[in-house]
Amino acid sequence: MEKWYLMAIVVLLGLTVRWTVSLNSYSGAGKPPMFGDYEAQRHWQEITFNLPVKQWYFNSSDNNLQYWGLDYPPLTAYHSLLCAYVAKFINPDWIALHSSRGYESQAHKLFMRTTVLIADLLIYIPAVVLYCWCLKEISTKKKIAHALCILLYPGLILIDYGHFQYNSVSLGFALWGVLGVSCDWDLLGSLAFCLAINYKQMELYHSLPFFCFLLGKCFKKGLKGKGFVLLIKLACTVVASFILCWLPFFTEREQTQQVLRRLFPVDRGLFEDKVANIWCSFSIFLKIKDILPHHIQIIISFCFTFLSLLPACIKLTLQPSPKGFRFTLVSCALSFFLFSFQVHEKSILLVSLPVCLVLSEIPFMSTWFLLVSTFSMLPLLLKDELLMPSVVTTMAFFIACAISFSIFEKTSEEELQLKSFSISVRKYLPCFKFFPRIIQYLFLISVITMVLLTLITITLEPPQKLPDLFSVLICFVSCLNFLFFLVYFNIIIMWDSKNRRNQKKIN
């Protein structure tokens, strides 16, 4: 019973941190005419409650799509409608058509914050606890520590409870999906992941690893026997779940097309704001958005994304394993973030979730990545006046990881999972024996750079001719880090089978 008490304390601590952050400012507070994401979520409740389903995604006098038009899949709309019914019961003014635009009050803020907390309690936190509890080959103490570190990850807390969004819903469904397919509950796992995609389309970042892992399982069972039966069951589960979610929008062809246009607004351009991916960072030297035609930008981003994730996906299909699945989730999500079209800075959370899952396997590198992921969103967090919550939650997370996993002691080739890669390199460079030291120096340089850039950003004014200088530097430095991590995670994936063979020989 003691271990359950400890896990309950961990959950309570995670909830306390979340609620404390929620007491701060939120996106667009008191900043008309558009306000921010907080108003977007409130406005969707207003629209879904007051308008018929057929008008949710269409521009009209009652639904100006230029003012936070609904641009997420149907499950998000249904969630907004559910919240709207509760809001209507408490205070109808919160969702009154037209007159509620930009509504702000302490009571409404409490209501909105509570809806995020309840979503966390129902979907995300149970998935985290169960995932950590199902981890094999680690002690109960490490399982509890792993859950603590995931629940203290500052990026998700600051965006959902500070900036204000419901990322924990889609990420929670995705985590239930990971848990399901990893434990051979393939149909339940597929259903959970379909719900994740139908809540936020950015979950497509994780779709290829799910597809390849399940297809690899079917190949392994044999496509002339059990594997074919599993494939049919999976296909039926996916199709049925999408039909149920999209049923109100399948009545007319124009309805379906309009929803898709809202979900994938390719006309917005290659990237928005300051995002730490390759296109925004590269635009410092070459303005791709201004030079290349729009359709060429789409083709180039598709090619880079596809080629960068292809090796890991092929490997996972041919050699499906839960470990390979987790690391391929990281690699593919990071490839999408770095190279795909129309990426937002908050999309790094889609990479951070699978990194959280491998925290106990590579604690040093995972902690480092999660620190960089939070730092990459610094311009957005400063805009929302979340500096102090960012510093406090980041320090708390770092201390929790450092103490729980002794991360600075986990930097050997074996613990970085680079042993087989180093052996391969030493065949050609026999003197190459200082790889862990290089990693340690890179970590030190990365942390110092992040600290200095943070201090510069909050204490100095940028030059008048370069008002975005500090934001661009943050994105560029973060992007360099992410490119390094992309190479690192792909090395782990591609050399994993060699590592297992070497381990078997040693045993």
Side-chain angles (χ1 to χ4, degrees):
M1 289 295 292
E2 182 184 354
K3 56 188 179 183
W4 288 109
Y5 285 132
L6 291 173
M7 188 64 83
I9 292 172
V10 164
V11 170
L12 186 60
L13 180 60
L15 292 174
T16 302
V17 172
R18 281 162 165 73
W19 191 253
T20 303
V21 171
S22 74
L23 300 177
N24 292 271
S25 180
Y26 52 81
S27 171
K31 297 176 181 177
M34 292 300 290
F35 300 94
D37 273 357
Y38 177 93
E39 167 62 9
Q41 304 292 338
R42 189 216 57 78
H43 181 63
W44 294 346
Q45 295 174 21
E46 170 195 345
I47 293 301
T48 54
F49 185 83
N50 290 289
L51 300 182
V53 174
K54 290 185 177 181
Q55 295 183 28
W56 287 357
Y57 291 92
F58 280 89
N59 193 55
S60 67
S61 57
D62 290 328
N63 184 21
N64 181 6
L65 294 182
Q66 296 302 313
Y67 184 79
W68 300 118
L70 188 58
D71 55 3
Y72 282 129
L75 211 55
T76 290
Y78 304 149
H79 179 213
S80 297
L81 180 60
L82 178 63
C83 293
Y85 273 106
V86 180
K88 172 74 173 178
F89 177 76
I90 300 172
N91 187 345
D93 292 342
W94 293 349
I95 56 166
L97 191 62
H98 301 308
S99 62
S100 64
R101 180 174 290 195
Y103 190 99
E104 293 179 314
S105 73
Q106 284 300 316
H108 186 253
K109 177 183 175 182
L110 177 63
F111 166 73
M112 295 291 279
R113 296 301 197 187
T114 304
T115 60
V116 180
L117 192 69
I118 290 173
D120 245 0
L121 274 170
L122 292 177
I123 300 173
Y124 183 72
I125 292 177
V128 170
V129 171
L130 188 57
Y131 174 83
C132 294
W133 211 254
C134 291
L135 289 172
K136 299 177 181 178
E137 299 177 4
I138 64 172
S139 65
T140 300
K141 181 181 177 182
K142 290 294 182 186
K143 291 177 180 179
I144 294 172
H146 194 160
L148 173 65
C149 293
I150 294 178
L151 293 178
L152 289 182
Y153 168 58
L156 182 59
I157 295 174
L158 292 165
I159 294 301
D160 275 13
Y161 289 86
H163 178 80
F164 196 86
Q165 283 190 338
Y166 294 95
N167 291 289
S168 59
V169 177
S170 58
L171 294 177
F173 280 134
L175 183 48
W176 280 111
V178 171
L179 185 62
V181 299
S182 298
C183 297
D184 292 327
W185 309 328
D186 296 326
L187 299 184
L188 290 175
S190 299
L191 174 61
F193 184 63
C194 287
L195 294 177
I197 293 178
N198 281 295
Y199 192 87
K200 283 200 173 184
Q201 66 271 34
M202 287 81 76
E203 276 298 332
L204 289 170
Y205 282 30
H206 298 143
S207 59
L208 278 175
F210 270 91
F211 175 79
C212 294
F213 185 44
L214 292 170
L215 183 63
K217 281 188 174 186
C218 294
F219 285 151
K220 203 170 182 179
K221 290 175 182 287
L223 285 181
K224 293 183 178 180
K226 293 182 178 179
F228 181 74
V229 174
L230 177 60
L231 186 62
I232 296 299
K233 288 181 178 179
L234 290 169
C236 291
T237 301
V238 172
V239 171
S241 60
F242 270 81
I243 288 176
L244 286 174
C245 289
W246 285 69
L247 196 57
F249 306 97
F250 282 155
T251 54
E252 298 176 13
R253 183 178 180 181
E254 180 59 24
Q255 278 281 333
T256 307
Q257 291 177 341
Q258 176 64 8
V259 176
L260 291 174
R261 281 193 290 267
R262 293 298 299 163
L263 299 189
F264 304 103
V266 293
D267 292 336
R268 289 185 184 176
L270 193 56
F271 59 87
E272 285 189 39
D273 296 325
K274 301 297 181 290
V275 55
N277 75 347
I278 200 73
W279 308 122
C280 182
S281 301
F282 191 66
S283 67
I284 299 172
F285 310 104
L286 186 65
K287 304 295 182 183
I288 300 175
K289 292 175 73 173
D290 300 331
I291 296 174
L292 297 177
H294 188 71
H295 69 282
I296 298 296
Q297 296 175 29
I298 296 175
I299 293 172
I300 290 176
S301 65
F302 172 80
C303 291
F304 271 85
T305 306
F306 180 74
L307 291 174
S308 64
L309 56 78
L310 186 61
C313 287
I314 292 174
K315 174 75 180 295
L316 182 62
T317 306
L318 298 177
Q319 298 176 8
S321 68
K323 178 187 175 182
F325 173 53
R326 290 192 296 273
F327 280 98
T328 305
L329 280 170
V330 178
S331 174
C332 286
L334 190 51
S335 292
F336 269 102
F337 179 81
L338 285 171
F339 302 113
S340 66
F341 196 85
Q342 249 301 304
V343 175
H344 293 264
E345 63 270 66
K346 298 181 288 290
S347 298
I348 195 61
L349 297 178
L350 293 156
V351 192
S352 300
L353 174 69
V355 173
C356 284
L357 304 186
V358 299
L359 193 53
S360 60
E361 297 175 65
I362 45 169
F364 180 80
M365 297 299 288
S366 297
T367 302
W368 180 5
F369 178 91
L370 294 170
L371 291 174
V372 176
S373 69
T374 304
F375 170 75
S376 71
M377 297 185 287
L378 183 62
L380 176 67
L381 298 173
L382 291 177
K383 184 179 178 181
D384 293 336
E385 300 177 7
L386 293 169
L387 174 61
M388 189 54 66
S390 300
V391 173
V392 173
T393 53
T394 300
M395 290 301 299
F397 170 76
F398 179 68
I399 291 170
C401 291
I403 294 175
S404 301
F405 294 104
S406 305
I407 59 173
F408 296 111
E409 299 173 11
K410 303 291 179 67
T411 56
S412 66
E413 289 180 348
E414 292 86 352
E415 286 159 328
L416 293 173
Q417 301 204 14
L418 294 172
K419 182 69 174 179
S420 55
F421 173 72
S422 299
I423 291 172
S424 300
V425 172
R426 282 196 284 269
K427 289 179 181 178
Y428 306 97
L429 297 171
C431 60
F432 190 80
K433 298 180 180 180
F434 42 84
F435 204 72
R437 191 173 299 173
I438 294 175
I439 296 289
Q440 291 170 9
Y441 285 143
L442 288 175
F443 170 78
L444 191 61
I445 293 169
S446 175
V447 170
I448 291 173
T449 305
M450 289 190 290
V451 171
L452 288 176
L453 271 176
T454 301
L455 292 174
I456 290 170
T457 302
I458 62 178
T459 56
L460 300 179
E461 288 291 331
Q464 289 185 350
K465 293 183 179 179
L466 299 170
D468 296 326
L469 175 62
F470 299 150
S471 297
V472 169
L473 285 175
I474 289 170
C475 293
F476 184 72
V477 168
S478 300
C479 181
L480 291 179
N481 278 271
F482 291 146
L483 285 170
F484 164 74
F485 282 113
L486 181 65
V487 173
Y488 169 76
F489 282 111
N490 273 284
I491 287 173
I492 290 181
I493 292 166
M494 301 313 293
W495 266 263
D496 180 51
S497 58
K498 295 180 181 180
N499 186 51
R500 284 203 298 266
R501 287 198 297 270
N502 291 339
Q503 190 63 43
K504 286 180 180 178
K505 290 179 182 179
I506 292 171
N507 292 339

